[in-house]
Amino acid sequence: MDISSISLEDYSFLFPEMEHQQQQQQQPNINTTKKRNYPEEISQQTHWYSNNNNNNSFNDTSALNDILTSLIHFDKQQLTPKQEIQSQQPTPMNSNPNSNEFQFDFELEDSSSPAKKPRLTDAAATATATSGPSRRLWVKDRSKDWWQWCNSPECPEEEFRRFFRMSKATFEFICNELDSAVMKKNTMLRDAIPVRQRVAVCIWRLATGDALRIVSKRFGLGISTCHKLVLEVCSAIKKVLMPKFISWPDENKLNLIKQEFEGVSGIPNVGGSMYTTHIPIIAPKSNVNSYFNKRHTQRNQKTSYSVTVQGVVDTKGIFTDVSIGWPGSYPDDQVFEKSVMYQRVTTGNLNDVWVVGNSGFPLMDGVLVPYNHQNLTWTQHAFNEKVGDIQKLCKDAFAKVKGRWSCLQKRTEVKIEDLPGVLGACCVLHNICEMRNEKMDPEWNFELFDDEMVAENSVRSVTAVQARDNIAHDLLHRGRAGNTFL
């Protein structure tokens, strides 16, 4: 490029005096009166140029060439590799022959553009060019020190149990069972969250009931990510583990359960203890009246909404059947009528097996409930006492569920449609802990209190009435009735 042929107007922004004089030449000369320049003002000005016969051009051409050459070298140093390639390509000259301006073979920054993209340094440009297809998504840097410590062998067993309500061995067992259902693959943008961390986020949230922002700080993850992980892991637990750990026993197991219940109460052919508890929730957006819990509202003097969890347990407090998610306004007998257990009873699949419930359930073939009328006899009192012993097993099981998983003790923020998955996961995790003999710390104890209402149609089978009377007399005559009621 011939630098001497470049017009000075292209770099006029570097010389404010020349730009000011050009603006004066473009304006019409309205006032012919010339302003007098005093010597003091002239002496303070910096003379970058002088007027001569060539109309404000530099006298020294070599000085102009040095300035323009320095500017061009400086601008080339700031160009990206892509722009350098473009700058090496020839560009056509200005098509106007009368114009003194030329089009340069490099691009100058437009000072009038509102947003300027930052230019890459040579090292950054080289790293970008050699990085290939790998791409990374910007992620906020959060501290994972607490979780890394819990996940390391340095974490004591007692501390781990206090955090997650189970031992390290049980936690490892759950992670192995959920590995295929929870695992995610790494992507070009980021690495997937490990299975152990996913399961830990869910169990911590269920065990402590802490707010999501606290869970986020604990595990170094985003709040929305933690909420998503809790729902995903609970759904996987319900889908993968519930069929394995919550199921109605087969004939052999059922015979053992009958013997155990008879040893506890003296009542023969008992296959399970049934109870219904309520889980408080925030008022839903739809069908609010259906979830309104009138009994809790009257007792607590505060508006309450809830969903129900109905369960059947064996003598060890392990759930063999659950019915989850029905509105809290439903009484126990209506919840029972919508459960799978009711279908087993009505279709005769229990095979002369009793499921013992409280006075909120109806007396029918397969369902044994206490006497609820006034002026009971000694025999009836004794029978009710033994039924209470069986009922206590199911109440204690639900008390352990709410005690171990503290999220069930207060109003949950989970949506109604996602709540059955969370409640089902709590029941499954309870069964796993009980099967693996996980201890309940005294500080986790929870006092269970649910209002019981007598079923509207409390007697639905005459055969069941006669069978209950026979069982009560048999207990008295065999000396199994006890004397606590006296």
Side-chain angles (χ1 to χ4, degrees):
M1 178 188 298
D2 188 5
I3 300 177
S4 61
S5 62
I6 299 177
S7 174
L8 187 60
E9 296 177 357
D10 295 315
Y11 288 89
S12 60
F13 64 92
L14 297 175
F15 309 102
E17 291 84 357
M18 186 181 71
E19 182 180 2
H20 178 68
Q21 187 170 2
Q22 289 179 357
Q23 292 179 358
Q24 290 181 353
Q25 292 178 359
Q26 294 177 0
Q27 294 178 356
N29 189 8
I30 299 176
N31 188 3
T32 58
T33 304
K34 296 183 178 180
K35 183 178 180 181
R36 183 177 179 179
N37 293 328
Y38 293 93
E40 294 80 8
E41 298 177 353
I42 297 175
S43 62
Q44 295 176 359
Q45 296 178 357
T46 302
H47 296 282
W48 291 87
Y49 59 92
S50 61
N51 295 329
N52 51 18
N53 295 332
N54 293 330
N55 193 14
N56 298 324
S57 63
F58 278 94
N59 294 329
D60 193 356
T61 306
S62 61
L64 174 61
N65 292 337
D66 294 340
I67 294 174
L68 295 181
T69 303
S70 300
L71 292 173
I72 292 173
H73 287 306
F74 176 77
D75 197 277
K76 281 189 175 183
Q77 291 178 0
Q78 300 294 328
L79 291 177
T80 61
K82 181 178 179 180
Q83 291 175 339
E84 289 181 0
I85 296 174
Q86 294 179 355
S87 64
Q88 295 176 3
Q89 299 178 358
T91 55
M93 305 289 288
N94 194 341
S95 61
N96 188 3
N98 297 326
S99 175
N100 294 327
E101 298 178 357
F102 294 88
Q103 184 175 0
F104 295 110
D105 57 351
F106 62 90
E107 297 180 358
L108 293 175
E109 290 186 16
D110 186 6
S111 59
S112 63
S113 62
K116 297 181 180 180
K117 296 181 179 180
R119 293 181 174 179
L120 298 175
T121 61
D122 294 340
T126 305
T128 304
T130 59
S131 60
S134 62
R135 298 173 57 195
R136 307 299 297 172
L137 183 66
W138 182 88
V139 180
K140 183 178 179 180
D141 187 15
R142 295 181 173 90
S143 175
K144 297 181 174 62
D145 295 341
W146 182 85
W147 163 242
Q148 291 175 356
W149 176 76
C150 289
N151 196 31
S152 66
E154 299 176 357
C155 180
E157 183 71 27
E158 292 299 325
E159 289 293 322
F160 192 91
R161 282 189 69 255
R162 186 170 62 88
F163 291 150
F164 298 98
R165 304 295 197 266
M166 62 181 64
S167 63
K168 290 184 178 181
T170 302
F171 178 80
E172 185 70 25
F173 172 78
I174 295 173
C175 292
N176 293 335
E177 291 288 330
L178 297 176
D179 185 79
S180 59
V182 176
M183 179 183 293
K184 303 293 183 182
K185 295 183 179 180
N186 298 336
T187 64
M188 294 177 58
L189 299 179
R190 68 174 75 186
D191 294 336
I193 301 173
V195 174
R196 291 177 61 87
Q197 190 173 5
R198 290 173 176 269
V199 177
V201 169
C202 177
I203 294 180
W204 171 272
R205 167 74 166 162
L206 298 179
T208 63
D210 288 341
L212 288 172
R213 67 178 184 275
I214 299 178
V215 181
S216 172
K217 292 180 181 179
R218 286 281 186 178
F219 291 90
L221 301 172
I223 295 177
S224 59
T225 302
C226 293
H227 178 67
K228 182 179 179 181
L229 289 179
V230 171
L231 297 182
E232 287 182 354
V233 176
C234 286
S235 178
I237 292 175
K238 183 179 179 182
K239 180 179 179 181
V240 178
L241 300 184
M242 182 174 281
K244 296 182 180 180
F245 295 97
I246 299 182
S247 60
W248 188 249
D250 56 19
E251 185 175 358
N252 294 331
K253 292 183 179 179
L254 197 57
N255 290 331
L256 294 176
I257 293 174
K258 288 179 182 180
Q259 296 176 6
E260 293 173 353
F261 272 114
E262 187 172 2
V264 171
S265 63
I267 301 177
N269 299 327
V270 175
S273 174
M274 183 166 52
Y275 187 79
T276 302
T277 189
H278 289 256
I279 307 299
I281 62 172
I282 297 175
K285 296 181 180 180
S286 59
N287 299 327
V288 178
N289 294 332
S290 298
Y291 294 91
F292 176 70
N293 193 322
K294 182 179 179 181
R295 291 166 289 176
H296 287 194
T297 299
Q298 293 176 350
R299 175 165 49 85
N300 300 328
Q301 298 298 316
K302 184 178 180 180
T303 304
S304 300
Y305 300 90
S306 65
V307 296
T308 60
V309 179
Q310 177 186 286
V312 180
V313 301
D314 58 12
T315 54
K316 298 178 181 179
I318 297 175
F319 289 102
T320 57
D321 183 85
V322 289
S323 179
I324 302 171
W326 294 105
S329 62
Y330 288 11
D332 295 350
D333 57 336
Q334 291 187 15
V335 176
F336 175 65
E337 291 173 357
K338 298 179 181 299
S339 65
V340 178
M341 180 57 63
Y342 181 80
Q343 298 178 2
R344 293 194 185 99
V345 171
T346 54
T347 55
N349 292 332
L350 291 183
N351 297 325
D352 298 329
V353 175
W354 291 107
V355 177
V356 178
N358 55 25
S359 58
F361 295 93
L363 176 63
M364 55 188 300
D365 294 335
V367 179
L368 194 63
V369 299
Y371 294 96
N372 52 28
H373 58 269
Q374 297 179 356
N375 301 325
L376 299 178
T377 64
W378 287 6
T379 304
Q380 293 170 348
H381 273 293
F383 176 82
N384 287 356
E385 180 183 341
K386 294 302 180 180
V387 170
D389 293 339
I390 298 175
Q391 273 284 285
K392 188 176 183 298
L393 296 174
C394 196
K395 286 184 179 180
D396 291 344
F398 275 116
K400 286 184 177 180
V401 171
K402 290 187 176 183
R404 180 176 271 119
W405 313 119
S406 301
C407 65
L408 306 181
Q409 299 177 12
K410 57 185 180 180
R411 296 188 300 173
T412 179
E413 302 172 355
V414 182
K415 296 180 180 179
I416 293 296
E417 55 269 21
D418 299 327
L419 196 55
V422 175
L423 300 179
C426 291
C427 295
V428 173
L429 294 175
H430 164 81
N431 276 10
I432 294 175
C433 291
E434 292 297 316
M435 291 177 181
R436 297 178 65 88
N437 298 322
E438 293 288 344
K439 297 179 180 179
M440 278 285 295
D441 290 351
E443 60 182 10
W444 303 344
N445 292 338
F446 179 78
E447 184 178 357
L448 188 67
F449 186 85
D450 287 290
D451 300 309
E452 299 179 4
M453 295 181 62
V454 179
E456 295 182 359
N457 187 9
S458 58
V459 178
R460 302 187 183 182
S461 173
V462 178
T463 306
V465 173
Q466 296 177 354
R468 182 176 63 176
D469 293 339
N470 294 333
I471 294 174
H473 284 87
D474 185 65
L475 288 175
L476 184 62
H477 289 120
R478 286 191 304 159
R480 300 295 303 271
N483 56 2
T484 305
F485 63 93
L486 295 177

